[in-house]
Amino acid sequence: MKPSRRGAGLVALAAATALVLTACGGGGGSGTAGDVTGGAPPAAGNDMNPVAYDQVRDGGDFFWSIDSLPPQYNYNQLDGTERNNKDIIDSMVPEIMKGDAQSVYQIDPDYLESAELTSTDPQVVTYKLNPKAKWNSGRPIDWTDFDAQYKALNGSNPAYVVSGTTGYDVIQSVTQGATPQEVVVTYSSKFADWKGNFLPLYPRETNSDPKVFNEGWISQPLNDQTAGPFKLESVDATAKRITVVRNEKWWGQPAKLDRIVYVALDQAAQADAFANGSLSFLTIGPSVATFQRAQQVPDTVIRKANGPNYRHITFNGAPGSILEDPKLRLAIMKGIDRNVITQSQIGPIVPGAKPLGNHLYVEGQEGYEDHSGVVAFDPEKAKSELDALGWTLQGNVRAKDGKQLVIRDVIPTGTPVSEAEARIVQQQLAAIGVQVTIDSVPSDNFFEQFVNVGNFDITHFAWLSTPSPISSSSGIYRLVDGTVGQNYGRIGNQKINDLLVQANAELDPVKQRVIVNEIDTELWNIGHSLLTYQRPDAVAVKPNVVNFGAKGFADYNYTLIGFAK
């Protein structure tokens, strides 16, 4: 879904439906906490109606809702890190490791026989590829694909417009091991979240040419450069549909579904489409109206799970922007009641829900600490701080040096959650003399023409997280001259940059969590962004849909999705 995004590992979601903290069901994976990833342990499973492969009906079409067709199918390119794209390419492009229900990466045996940390000084990771794994072109997947991706994403060549360089910028070399299917990755410095690298993996044919990297995947996925259980059948830009079908060149267990049809619909239209049978599921996320509508659809079950994703308000602090001053951002944040937003948006879905207090960990992950006290709702304090900054009330709106304190809230059209949040913020800030102008823009280019380029004062969307929360978040919070990455608000400092480097290099998960919480404290202190709430992972489906639903921290196995016999 569109208005959501993933930081160099994280996906951004502008739309309203995605994931959050709710009741859970179903089983989890087999991973263990505290491994070298430093990843977060402890989610409580997922709820996907798990059924054994031989109990899934062979065949059928699955209609999967997205908010719009992606502007870019190369997930590693800046415009490609959207939820819509993630859902699509995961059926076709190698994810050599997949997150389990405990938010721990496990190797995918269709692509890897093993992936091991074979040395810590220097850090060396050795991958052994499944010898059956081939691109649809017929070429075996080998070490050259890893080498090309590392060189494209390490930041050394500005011709590659990448979503982030974290993890690749500390690789010293990628070489062949005993065979072309053994990949030896040597790091120049320690990198704890190495399991999050090369996800997804694109072929050297994409990564060796900046033009192909940036432009080759814009109109559609390149079928000969994919390698998954499905392949592209068609992209219908008029009907706003993309269809993938079983891949006859796939070497693993065949997918149960005949095809998956990704249907682009505004959020407001998705509930009715599910009710009339045009969609195979309905993502509820934090929409109370959608939750209530789903409850009215006959023969429907609602699946829920803990999830790692969250809503937030990004502030634009770029030089020259009205919110450049961190003291002004913090004063305004104190005028926004996050509890009201949380309860109005997800209270009926998640009883007892409260605002999120950490930029890098969500509740349910080990290491989570709430450092949001610095922006606790206090309208009187907000008013006094604004007065002290010279923004004095003149009529109903504050002004300074002849300029009114008017901020532009850019949101995507057709996204009820963003609209509701924006109205609440508008009303609350009016009470402290800050005027908010809501600017609804087309969801099709919400990121490309507005968020990515800083064409906003504040904006709302969701970040979709990964089992490697530190490295995947680095691009959101790092600020380096000339490089924005996914730090769309252009807010940061050298202290945060240095701490991110330390956290990514710390192999001891206990020590890493201490550093991460230092980062979060500083992010709150500079008014980087205002977190609102974890998004509920709530999905409505028919009872016969199996191996699909509220996946929580896990990744889907696309060969298992289908319908019960």
Side-chain angles (χ1 to χ4, degrees):
M1 30 185 83
K2 185 129 182 162
S4 23
R5 201 158 264 256
R6 194 172 197 134
L10 279 187
V11 167
L13 248 171
T17 57
L19 318 166
V20 155
L21 194 69
T22 68
C24 3
S30 58
T32 57
D35 65 0
V36 293
T37 66
N46 51 31
D47 188 2
M48 297 200 294
N49 193 17
V51 170
Y53 182 78
D54 61 2
Q55 296 302 308
V56 184
R57 193 178 82 209
D58 191 26
D61 294 346
F62 195 81
F63 293 88
W64 190 311
S65 61
I66 56 177
D67 297 310
S68 62
L69 295 183
Q72 167 69 259
Y73 292 92
N74 180 357
Y75 184 75
N76 294 323
Q77 207 270 353
L78 179 62
D79 291 337
T81 52
E82 293 183 4
R83 169 64 178 270
N84 291 333
N85 191 28
K86 173 70 173 168
D87 287 340
I88 295 166
I89 65 161
D90 274 1
S91 69
M92 296 182 283
V93 178
E95 287 279 359
I96 61 174
M97 293 198 182
K98 287 183 167 62
D100 67 16
Q102 278 67 48
S103 191
V104 177
Y105 279 126
Q106 307 292 343
I107 66 168
D108 184 334
D110 286 322
Y111 298 109
L112 289 177
E113 291 184 343
S114 64
E116 298 177 351
L117 187 65
T118 49
S119 171
T120 58
D121 192 16
Q123 181 173 332
V124 178
V125 177
T126 302
Y127 299 87
K128 292 184 179 179
L129 291 160
N130 183 337
K132 296 179 181 178
K134 293 183 178 182
W135 301 104
N136 287 344
S137 64
R139 182 177 68 78
I141 300 176
D142 64 20
W143 75 275
T144 62
D145 298 305
F146 287 70
D147 184 52
Q149 182 150 316
Y150 134 67
K151 290 174 178 175
L153 299 182
N154 67 7
S156 63
N157 186 347
Y160 291 90
V161 183
V162 303
S163 60
T165 61
T166 302
Y168 297 97
D169 56 355
V170 290
I171 292 177
Q172 178 177 307
S173 66
V174 176
T175 58
Q176 176 181 318
T179 71
Q181 275 64 52
E182 186 172 283
V183 187
V184 180
V185 180
T186 302
Y187 287 80
S188 57
S189 60
K190 289 183 172 59
F191 181 65
D193 284 347
W194 61 267
K195 290 185 178 181
N197 275 352
F198 305 104
L199 301 179
L201 179 68
Y202 282 79
R204 69 185 187 219
E205 288 80 1
T206 289
N207 288 319
S208 297
D209 184 344
K211 186 173 180 61
V212 177
F213 182 92
N214 294 323
E215 303 174 17
W217 293 72
I218 287 178
S219 60
Q220 65 181 43
L222 300 177
N223 243 347
D224 64 330
Q225 297 185 34
T226 61
F230 289 88
K231 67 176 184 178
L232 179 68
E233 180 179 72
S234 64
V235 175
D236 187 333
T238 303
K240 295 186 177 181
R241 292 188 171 204
I242 178 169
T243 302
V244 299
V245 296
R246 281 180 185 158
N247 183 7
E248 73 282 357
K249 296 181 179 179
W250 173 244
W251 57 92
Q253 66 179 14
K256 284 294 186 177
L257 293 168
D258 290 322
R259 60 182 58 82
I260 301 174
V261 182
Y262 297 93
V263 184
L265 288 173
D266 283 345
Q267 289 258 315
Q270 291 178 14
D272 286 341
F274 173 72
N276 67 31
S278 299
L279 293 176
S280 298
F281 72 97
L282 174 64
T283 302
I284 295 169
S287 171
V288 173
T290 303
F291 177 68
Q292 294 170 338
R293 179 74 173 93
Q295 290 178 312
Q296 298 168 358
V297 179
D299 196 31
T300 294
V301 295
I302 296 176
R303 298 177 182 159
K304 299 179 183 180
N306 283 356
N309 312 306
Y310 58 92
R311 295 283 295 180
H312 75 291
I313 302 173
T314 282
F315 280 62
N316 189 346
S321 67
I322 193 170
L323 299 176
E324 178 181 3
D325 184 354
K327 293 181 180 179
L328 177 59
R329 295 195 298 271
L330 289 169
I332 290 174
M333 288 180 183
K334 292 181 179 72
I336 299 174
D337 191 340
R338 299 186 301 138
N339 280 295
V340 169
I341 295 175
T342 300
Q343 291 306 314
S344 67
Q345 298 299 82
I346 64 171
I349 307 170
V350 189
K354 56 185 179 180
L356 186 65
N358 196 297
H359 289 80
L360 295 110
Y361 294 130
V362 295
E363 287 200 71
Q365 292 185 323
E366 192 167 348
Y368 177 84
E369 296 176 3
D370 188 338
H371 303 120
S372 64
V374 68
V375 296
F377 178 59
D378 189 340
E380 294 307 314
K381 189 172 184 180
K383 291 175 186 177
S384 65
E385 289 181 0
L386 290 169
D387 287 338
L389 291 170
W391 290 99
T392 57
L393 201 59
Q394 299 181 20
N396 293 324
V397 182
R398 294 178 180 274
K400 179 180 181 180
D401 300 330
K403 183 177 182 179
Q404 286 190 315
L405 187 49
V406 178
I407 60 178
R408 177 168 158 260
D409 189 351
V410 176
I411 62 172
T413 56
T415 56
V417 168
S418 293
E419 293 167 6
E421 290 173 353
R423 287 195 299 271
I424 293 171
V425 169
Q426 184 182 54
Q427 293 167 0
Q428 292 180 342
L429 292 186
I432 63 170
V434 179
Q435 181 176 322
V436 175
T437 301
I438 300 173
D439 187 1
S440 297
V441 303
S443 61
D444 286 350
N445 55 31
F446 171 71
F447 281 110
E448 295 71 47
Q449 296 185 19
F450 296 91
V451 178
N452 292 4
V453 296
N455 186 3
F456 63 90
D457 292 325
I458 61 174
T459 187
H460 312 236
F461 57 92
W463 283 115
L464 307 189
S465 192
T466 74
S468 49
I470 315 310
S471 59
S472 65
S473 297
S474 293
I476 303 171
Y477 304 122
R478 178 182 290 116
L479 187 66
V480 180
D481 290 344
T483 304
V484 173
Q486 289 182 298
N487 191 341
Y488 302 127
R490 282 72 171 168
I491 298 171
N493 58 34
Q494 192 57 46
K495 179 179 179 180
I496 292 171
N497 292 350
D498 292 343
L499 286 170
L500 285 167
V501 171
Q502 291 178 38
N504 278 308
E506 181 53 69
L507 299 182
D508 183 328
V510 176
K511 294 178 180 178
Q512 186 188 60
R513 287 192 286 270
V514 173
I515 301 170
V516 170
N517 279 302
E518 287 186 58
I519 297 170
D520 183 61
T521 300
E522 183 66 8
L523 289 169
W524 284 112
N525 288 340
I526 65 171
H528 179 278
S529 50
L530 186 67
L531 307 180
T532 48
Y533 52 87
Q534 283 180 257
R535 304 190 58 170
D537 190 357
V539 179
V541 294
K542 297 300 181 183
N544 68 332
V545 172
V546 300
N547 300 314
F548 186 90
K551 64 188 181 69
F553 289 82
D555 289 314
Y556 284 123
N557 182 334
Y558 282 69
T559 69
L560 287 173
I561 298 171
F563 305 95
K565 284 184 177 179

